[in-house]
Amino acid sequence: MYSVELRGATKRYPGGGTEPVVALDDVNFAVEPGEFVAVVGPSGSGKSTLLNVLGLLDDPTEGWRLLNGTDVTELSVAERTTARKGSIGFVFQDFHLLPALTAVENVALPTAFDSGDASDRAVDLLRRFGLGDRLDHEPSELSGGQKQRVAIARSLINDPAVLLADEPTGNLDTDTGESILAEFGRVKEEGVAVIAVTHDPLVEEYADRVVELTDGVLVGGDVDEATSVDDTLGGRDSESPLAPGEQ
Amino acid sequence: MAGRNLRRNRVRTVLAVLGVCIGVLAVAALGIFGNVLALGANDAIGDIGTQVVVSPNSDTGVESLSTTDVAEIRRAVDDPAVGDPAVVPLYSDNGIVAGASSQTFATIYGVEEPALAFEAAEGELPDRHRQGAIIGAGVATDLNIGTGDTVEIVGSQVRVVAVLAETQTFSPVAPDDAVFLPESAFATDGYAQALIISESGETAQAAADAIRREVNAREDRVDLFELAAIVDEINGFFDLLSTFLLGLGAISLVVAGVSILNVMLMSTVERRQEIGVMRAVGVTRRDVLRVLLAEAGLIGAAGAAAGTVLTVILVAALVAATPAVDASLVIDPTNAYYLLLALGFGVGVGIISGAYPAWKAANERPVEALRS
């Protein structure tokens, strides 16, 4: 079972003219637990859209989306929020920490409105990422690398199945970037599927697999191009050129 | 979290709080002003509203009220439905009242139970008035006399047993410029007037109606002087005035509400990404809504609390500065009602004005919010 999987996913946006913009074109993509996948491609190739669709922030126009083997293609807004909270962690290029909250509070943010206090777990996570002495600092008092570590700790507070990172090293210098990628390496050891959208060649070095997205077309999306659609969706006829082993 | 978000943009928060504060101040202060005005007026005209003066109707040849008339009046009002008012018949005459150094012309009443109708400022009013004189506040001042002094009333020396408290009533029986003697001092056998003292304006009116019905059944033997109906009209006017003043205050509160709306809208636009992140990491729309509403509510509550405190200070300062206003009117419990009303309005305006921006922010798609 894959942690996250897209089958024939297409995403079209209404364009300015008559032709809609195709951001994702019949994408097949699957990531196993504990796998670190880097998604590369030029700007405007649909990388962010792919991440949004994987992260349940956006729905595909066509195709299927599975999370831990469960079909999550069409969920209500509330169900998507719950699913995000339960299974998905986000790491952003701009860190996106809340400036009013301390490091611990930022890490605990996803669970801030639940009964029960997640502070202990947040403190554990921050210690794990070497921020034991920055627990009560606000984001403005942290360096870029520290902020990104806080962001990674936040993405892990809910024990996610999938960690989605959008240019995680984009705002960091090379050394800091490398240490962040090393953290991703540790995260995936715990069985979390890590998917990073990036321009950074460094990320490709750390990734188990690199897939390329060009104009919405994904190359190398399946774990094993031979294991295909039939295993998960029971013989759905895929015309995707990305699954040639099927024929 | 809401509090900390507000602290991030202090100037804007303070301005919004100030807006609510002024709104609440306007509502509370104008409400209290109106109320004090109404209470003051009520205080001044209240007595005549509860008094009915019964006098003989000279048009039908009745020159005085006989004991039978008085008994009939007593019977007419002896009914729990009209509040069982006190009936105080009065003999009446005029004469010179002289003190040690000066003299004045005064109305002289003969009364048996003065305690039912009047209040003493000095000395004590006897249940049964048998000896001595009770003098009105005006006469006491004119003659410069007090309890224990002796006055000469129409030639006889009488000791003063009590001085009445000053009254501000407008009534045919004006105790300020009168002297009250025991009934035994009068040789006539007819009463000039009878005072009906009720608890409230309504019972006074009921008493007057009862007397008209019973005593004037066959012929119009008595005239009635009552102001309860006029007092009702006056009270109605003051209610209208209070509502008008509150309305003026409410306008400023609406303006304050718009300022909160503006602050919250700016704040949610500014924090679009943050809210997007919260939504992305799994915070529900309801919780986002709650945080933002709490912020607006806090602004409202802080402004309302400040406005309430300011109102208390303002009203206290005004009372201290204007001796004409009786302090007891201002600490009247009904004024607290206006304070609470304004406080509640302040918080309510905060939440209502915060509702739209909060709803808008909570329902924005996180993808859109994160992209900006």
Side-chain angles (χ1 to χ4, degrees), chain A residues 58-209:
Chain A
D58 216 342
D59 287 332
T61 321
E62 280 169 30
W64 281 269
R65 170 175 60 193
L66 291 90
L67 192 61
N68 284 332
T70 313
D71 186 353
V72 290
T73 312
E74 284 177 14
L75 294 181
S76 71
V77 174
E79 285 167 339
R80 279 193 304 192
T81 306
T82 312
R84 279 201 300 273
K85 186 173 170 181
S87 310
I88 294 171
F90 284 97
V91 174
F92 305 95
Q93 178 176 4
D94 300 327
F95 324 125
H96 282 329
L97 302 178
L98 299 202
L101 304 182
T102 65
V104 172
E105 289 165 334
N106 261 297
V107 172
L109 177 68
T111 58
F113 298 95
D114 299 349
S115 55
D117 189 6
S119 302
D120 289 346
R121 179 163 162 71
V123 169
D124 284 347
L125 281 166
L126 284 170
R127 291 221 170 97
R128 228 178 82 190
F129 289 110
L131 292 171
D133 55 344
R134 292 282 186 277
L135 298 176
D136 294 320
H137 287 53
E138 288 184 3
S140 57
E141 301 164 320
L142 300 173
S143 70
Q146 287 170 335
K147 281 188 219 174
Q148 197 59 301
R149 284 198 183 86
V150 173
I152 296 173
R154 178 178 64 191
S155 71
L156 296 177
I157 189 81
N158 51 359
D159 269 324
V162 184
L163 195 162
L164 300 171
D166 189 358
E167 301 279 10
T169 57
N171 276 351
L172 303 174
D173 61 62
T174 313
D175 285 348
T176 319
E178 261 187 90
S179 68
I180 291 297
L181 289 168
E183 303 292 5
F184 281 143
R186 285 204 271 153
V187 170
K188 74 168 192 180
E189 296 299 320
E190 293 170 22
V192 179
V194 179
I195 301 164
V197 161
T198 186
H199 278 112
D200 189 354
L202 200 62
V203 178
E204 297 175 40
E205 279 176 39
Y206 279 82
D208 299 322
R209 181 156 57 105

Side-chain angles (χ1 to χ4, degrees), chain A residues 57-58 84 96 100 105 113, chain B residues 4 273 279-280 287 365 367:
Chain A
L57 291 174
D58 216 342
R84 279 201 300 273
H96 282 329
E105 289 165 334
F113 298 95
Chain B
R4 265 191 268 176
Q273 282 200 335
R279 293 280 295 114
D287 288 328
R365 296 178 61 222
V367 177

